[in-house]
Amino acid sequence: MIYKIVIIDDHKIFGEGFCSLLETNGFIVKRVFQNPLLALNYLNTNKDTDIIFTDINMPKINGIELIKKIKNIDNK
């Protein structure tokens, strides 16, 4: 199975580097976000993500709260 991944990290270099590492190993990275609110909007309209990697400490909304909001999307 090929997993479709979204990465959410406010550090651009980390997100791009992690994306490159995953793609080199056969994963499909759908998007890399630096802004967790943009990621939430994307995930609300695109339901084809298998795995989400997120930073915990981010501005605007932390990773724990972000995951809670993402889980609520799936319950709608």
Side-chain angles (χ1 to χ4, degrees), residues 33-76:
F33 290 95
Q34 292 176 285
N35 182 325
L37 297 176
L38 292 177
L40 186 59
N41 186 45
Y42 173 84
L43 293 166
N44 196 30
T45 58
N46 296 280
K47 309 284 187 191
D48 65 340
T49 301
D50 299 310
I51 301 172
I52 299 168
F53 289 101
T54 184
D55 189 358
I56 298 297
N57 296 314
M58 293 184 290
K60 298 179 182 151
I61 181 172
N62 70 50
I64 303 297
E65 291 301 316
L66 178 63
I67 293 298
K68 289 177 184 176
K69 290 180 182 297
I70 291 168
K71 285 176 67 175
N72 284 335
I73 291 171
D74 290 340
N75 292 329
K76 290 180 182 177

